[in-house]
């Protein structure tokens, strides 16, 4: 089958997006981050003034990106005077950006900082310190905005997140947890008295994930907890008294906190909450915390990133649809009016080439993107997308990678296998101890469903995924012959090296996913099952990846080649976990298309 001509090029996909994120609103102005894929993938900060003009605050080579937990998060905060404090990628120091545009260092080299909050002429944040012996420690600290020594306020736990200062400035609330838990397994909400000392646990534990605390007033807090089996919003006293569900629902009110600094809800000036909620994609609504009434705002965005900001009754967030790129959006909660302040993509392809997702049970939740183009005899080829994490989910955000394929006659099925978020704690925990089994079985079942329903040509179904999704791709190709080929972007192939060499945040994750017994590894990891692979594979890898080192991909590629199985391995210098440079993303996508042309053509 010759592929259809398409107006969507590799360059359109790789080089046009600025990935706006992490909005902040203050004094009529709005700040957010943007990527510059044509400038080595650096991240800048943009400010929109009250008159609607935009100004880029960071010029090359400055890049506002934090490496705390390696995945980072919100890299900046705004002071009451409108100055910006940011973490610089190269040295991970905090800098303050004055009106003259020249960054001034606030911290010495040697530490990383994230989850920034400015209060009382200080920046409060999570500090991550890497010792020469490899030991990693974290604390919540405050740093004077005019320079000076930092002060530790919370120490002793392996991880910290979400510092929040009470309105009277007397108490600090935060989230913490310890190995081997991940933040979606079990966390604690704690409060520290800032004058006189003393700390206590408000809520949470080993089997309850408490996230995103925010002060309602000096004595009570809002929080998100999954104690009901779903991440719902609650109100609680600062000593743990009077827990009250604000809007009980079998929906999620937060996304998994892979990155620090997310804000899934925000308090408006009139006391209402702007909240995100739903299954899978999160919708934007207004919640009255007194009555529990929740009403969605009538805005043309189907989903939102878990990063909201507010000033008065104005809400700013990152909204999207399947045909509208991720956009910085301002919403007036009082009138329902809305406006787009910045779009990820300035120029879109002809809308007729953008696929519209169809929610299906395949047999797990998934989104079907049929190919676009002239009718052809027989069922078309399909590629199954497997999301990473694995504690993450597939949504319906506009993705030109999908349009790149569907506009050429290749359908896409984006699968939310067992373990995906957005469907409650029980669905997340389907993967507990079962990584390499449940995710693989669900992905294989999705391929079999495509064939049984006559949607896809059974002989032309491929599978692709990134990171943990790459693990599932490799494992699925080891355990099943349903796939014509597999594409892995920086995927995990072996567990012992991952446990020994991956970064601290995920260093105990495998215990939850598989178990602590190394003897089990040989029954799960793709490298041990490589003799089961008979289909061609494409492996792509960044050589500076601290999360999944290059050895993971090279070992699997070598094992395939030794057996005579067709395998292409492409490595990219200067790329880490997730490709950011235009040239890299262009080359990777071109290689992937050529791979599918060989498989399907």
């Amino acid at each position: 089958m010759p592929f259809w001509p398409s107006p969507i090029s590799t360059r359109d996909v790789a080089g046009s997006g600025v990935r706006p994120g992490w909005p902040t609103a203050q004094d009529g102005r709005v700040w957010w981050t943007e990527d510059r894929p044509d400038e080595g993938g650096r991240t800048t900060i943009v400010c929109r003034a009250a008159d609607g003009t935009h100004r880029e605050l960071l010029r090359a080579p400055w890049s506002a990106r934090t490496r705390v937990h390696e995945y980072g998060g919100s890299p900046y905060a705004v002071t009451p005077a409108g100055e910006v404090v940011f973490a610089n990628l190269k040295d991970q120091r905090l800098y303050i950006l004055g009106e003259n545009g020249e960054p001034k260092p606030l911290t010495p080299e040697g530490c990383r900082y994230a989850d920034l909050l400015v209060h009382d002429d200080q920046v409060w944040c999570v500090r991550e310190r890497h010792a020469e012996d490899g030991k990693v420690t974290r604390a919540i600290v405050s740093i004077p905005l005019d320079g000076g020594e930092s002060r530790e306020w919370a120490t002793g736990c392996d991880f910290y997140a979400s510092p929040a200062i009470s309105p009277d400035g007397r108490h600090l609330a935060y989230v913490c947890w310890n190995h081997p838990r991940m933040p979606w397994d079990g966390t604690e909400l704690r409060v520290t008295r800032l004058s006189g000392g003393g700390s206590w646990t408000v809520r949470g534990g080993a089997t309850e994930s408490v996230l995103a605390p925010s002060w309602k007033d000096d004595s009570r807090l809002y929080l998100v907890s999954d104690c009901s089996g779903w991440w719902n919003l609650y109100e609680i006293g600062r000593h743990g008294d009077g827990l009250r569900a604000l809007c009980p629902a079998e929906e999620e009110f937060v996304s998994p906190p892979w990155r620090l600094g997310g804000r899934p809800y925000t308090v408006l000036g009139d006391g209402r909450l702007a909240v995100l909620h739903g299954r899978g994609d999160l919708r934007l609504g207004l919640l009255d915390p007194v009555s529990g009434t929740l009403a969605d705002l009538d805005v043309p965005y189907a989903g939102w990133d878990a990063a909201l900001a507010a000033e008065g009754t104005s809400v700013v967030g990152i909204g999207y649809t399947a045909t509208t790129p991720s956009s910085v959006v301002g919403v007036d909660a009082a009138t329902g009016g809305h406006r787009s302040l910045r779009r990820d993509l300035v120029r879109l392809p002809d809308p007729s080439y953008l696929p519209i997702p169809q929610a299906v049970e395949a047999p797990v939740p998934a989104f079907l993107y049929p190919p676009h183009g002239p009718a052809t005899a027989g069922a078309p080829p399909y590629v199954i997308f497997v999301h990473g994490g694995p504690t993450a989910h597939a949504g319906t955000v506009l993705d030109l990678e999908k349009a790149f394929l569907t506009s050429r006659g290749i359908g896409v099925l984006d699968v939310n296998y067992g373990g995906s978020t957005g469907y409650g704690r029980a669905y997340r925990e389907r993967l507990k101890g079962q990584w390499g089994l449940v995710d693989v079985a669900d992905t294989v079942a999705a391929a079999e469903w495509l064939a049984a329903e006559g949607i896809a040509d059974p002989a032309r179904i491929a599978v692709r995924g990134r990171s943990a999704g790459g693990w599932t791709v490799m494992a699925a190709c080891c355990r099943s012959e349903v796939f014509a080929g597999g594409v892995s972007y920086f995927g995990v192939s072996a567990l012992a090296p991952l446990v020994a060499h991956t970064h601290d945040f995920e260093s105990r994750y495998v215990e939850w996913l598989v178990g602590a017994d190394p003897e089990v590894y040989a029954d799960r990891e793709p490298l041990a099952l490589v003799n089961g692979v008979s289909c061609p594979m494409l492996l792509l890898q960044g050589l500076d990846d601290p999360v999944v080192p290059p050895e993971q991909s090279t070992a699997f590629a070598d094992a395939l080649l030794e057996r005579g199985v067709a395998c292409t391995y492409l490595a990219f210098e200067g790329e880490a976990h997730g490709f950011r440079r235009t040239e890299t993303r262009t080359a990777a996508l071109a290689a992937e298309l050529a791979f599918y042309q060989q498989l399907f053509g």
Side-chain angles (χ1 to χ4, degrees):
M1 180 202 84
F3 287 175
W4 304 329
S6 169
I8 304 173
S9 68
T10 56
R11 175 73 188 192
D12 291 332
V13 180
S16 56
V18 297
R19 300 183 186 180
W22 310 113
T24 299
Q26 180 179 296
D27 298 331
R29 290 180 286 177
V30 179
W31 293 258
W32 62 84
T33 60
E34 289 186 7
D35 283 359
R36 295 289 182 261
D38 286 338
E39 299 178 26
R42 74 180 189 92
T43 301
T44 188
I45 301 171
V46 174
C47 179
R48 183 184 191 273
D51 62 6
T53 58
H54 293 65
R55 184 164 63 98
E56 182 175 337
L57 303 183
L58 293 183
R59 300 294 180 181
W62 297 98
S63 182
R65 211 164 103 218
T66 171
R67 290 186 56 193
V68 172
H69 295 181
E70 295 300 346
Y71 293 111
S74 177
Y76 78 98
V78 179
T79 74
E83 296 178 314
V84 173
V85 178
F86 71 96
N88 183 48
L89 175 62
K90 183 177 181 180
D91 56 13
Q92 288 298 291
R93 300 171 72 181
L94 289 183
Y95 290 79
I96 187 166
L97 187 65
E99 290 295 329
N100 62 2
E102 185 62 31
K104 173 186 174 183
L106 289 181
T107 59
E109 294 188 44
C111 293
R112 306 175 183 182
Y113 305 87
D115 232 340
L116 279 59
L117 164 72
V118 176
H119 175 81
D120 195 23
D121 294 326
Q122 299 182 86
V123 57
W124 301 69
C125 59
V126 176
R127 184 191 67 197
E128 182 179 275
R129 176 174 286 157
H130 293 245
E132 292 183 1
D133 62 2
K135 182 176 176 59
V136 182
T137 57
R138 298 174 184 87
I140 292 183
V141 302
S142 61
I143 302 159
L145 289 176
D146 59 0
E149 294 294 324
S150 62
R151 178 173 178 179
E152 295 182 346
W153 293 98
T155 61
C157 290
D158 293 326
F159 300 98
Y160 291 94
S162 305
I165 307 294
S166 60
D168 61 9
R170 297 176 61 185
H171 294 91
L172 166 71
Y174 53 91
V175 170
C176 58
W177 67 98
N178 289 306
H179 283 307
R181 300 196 301 266
M182 299 297 284
W184 41 85
D185 300 328
T187 63
E188 295 180 8
L189 168 59
R190 290 187 182 175
V191 167
T192 291
R193 186 179 294 111
L194 296 179
S195 59
S199 300
W200 58 90
T201 297
V202 177
R203 182 79 195 181
T207 59
E208 180 183 358
S209 174
V210 180
L211 303 171
S214 176
W215 290 91
K216 175 185 179 181
D217 52 37
D218 292 335
S219 62
R220 298 189 67 79
L221 298 111
Y222 296 122
L223 59 93
V224 176
S225 168
D226 68 352
C227 58
S228 70
W230 295 83
W231 271 317
N232 280 190
L233 270 164
Y234 295 83
E235 179 186 319
I236 195 170
R238 71 167 183 250
H239 288 282
D241 54 296
L243 180 72
R244 182 174 71 91
L246 299 185
C247 184
E250 291 189 348
E251 294 185 334
E252 307 280 51
F253 284 71
V254 72
S255 295
W258 279 101
R259 299 188 294 169
L260 293 173
R263 297 182 297 274
Y265 67 93
T266 187
V267 183
L268 303 180
D270 59 11
R272 291 180 298 170
L273 305 181
V275 303
L276 300 176
H277 69 104
R279 294 194 181 194
D281 290 323
L282 300 178
R283 305 185 304 278
L284 177 63
L286 295 179
L287 173 63
D288 184 332
V290 177
S291 66
T293 302
L294 174 60
D296 287 344
L297 285 162
D298 185 16
V299 292
Y301 298 93
W304 296 76
D305 291 354
L308 296 178
E311 182 180 22
T313 58
S314 296
V315 183
V316 181
I318 308 295
Y320 59 83
T321 72
T323 57
T324 305
S326 292
S327 305
V328 182
V329 181
V331 180
D332 187 333
T335 67
H338 58 86
R339 57 182 175 178
S340 175
L341 309 182
R342 174 65 157 151
R343 300 203 314 177
D344 181 28
L345 303 170
V346 176
R347 182 177 60 86
L348 278 177
D350 184 328
S352 67
Y353 286 93
L354 299 178
I356 305 299
Q358 303 171 15
V360 297
E361 293 291 326
V364 294
F367 295 104
L368 183 74
Y369 297 82
H372 164 94
T376 57
Y382 261 77
V383 177
I384 294 181
F385 277 41
V386 184
H387 67 71
T391 308
H393 74 272
T396 60
V397 63
L398 172 62
D399 182 357
L400 286 188
E401 286 188 345
K402 294 186 179 73
F404 180 81
L405 297 178
T406 58
S407 64
R408 287 171 166 78
I410 302 173
V412 170
L413 183 69
D414 211 355
V415 176
N416 277 312
Y417 52 84
S420 301
T421 53
Y423 304 93
R425 186 174 186 116
Y427 196 76
R428 288 203 312 270
E429 292 192 341
R430 279 192 61 209
L431 204 59
K432 186 176 182 178
Q434 301 297 307
W435 195 37
L437 299 178
V438 166
D439 53 319
V440 169
D442 287 351
T443 302
V444 170
E448 294 172 341
W449 176 85
L450 282 173
E453 294 292 317
I455 297 171
D457 181 344
R460 296 188 296 169
I461 300 175
V463 59
R464 61 100 80 172
R466 292 185 169 97
S467 190
W471 153 282
T472 303
V473 166
M474 289 185 277
C477 291
C478 290
R479 293 182 178 275
S480 173
E481 295 183 354
V482 71
F483 298 108
V487 179
S488 168
Y489 282 78
F490 33 88
V492 177
S493 70
L495 294 174
L498 181 70
V499 171
H501 300 295
T502 197
H503 60 124
D504 184 63
F505 178 60
E506 291 185 273
S507 61
R508 305 285 295 277
Y509 195 18
V510 170
E511 292 182 28
W512 188 92
L513 291 168
V514 176
D517 185 359
E519 293 184 5
V520 178
Y521 294 175
D523 295 328
R524 302 288 182 85
E525 62 187 19
L527 191 59
L529 305 172
V530 70
N531 288 342
V533 180
S534 58
C535 64
M537 299 202 70
L538 170 65
L539 310 180
L540 304 107
Q541 177 71 48
L543 292 179
D544 295 338
D545 193 335
V547 178
V548 180
E551 292 76 16
Q552 293 278 347
S553 292
T554 56
F556 197 73
D558 291 343
L560 289 176
L561 294 173
E562 286 179 7
R563 294 185 51 247
V565 177
C567 176
T568 299
Y569 170 65
L570 297 178
F572 299 94
E573 293 185 1
E575 292 287 2
H577 200 67
F579 300 159
R580 302 180 68 89
R581 299 176 178 178
T582 298
E583 57 270 27
T584 301
R585 293 159 65 181
T586 299
L589 192 59
E592 191 174 352
L593 178 61
F595 180 76
Y596 297 141
Q597 287 174 326
Q598 283 190 310
L599 287 184
F600 303 147

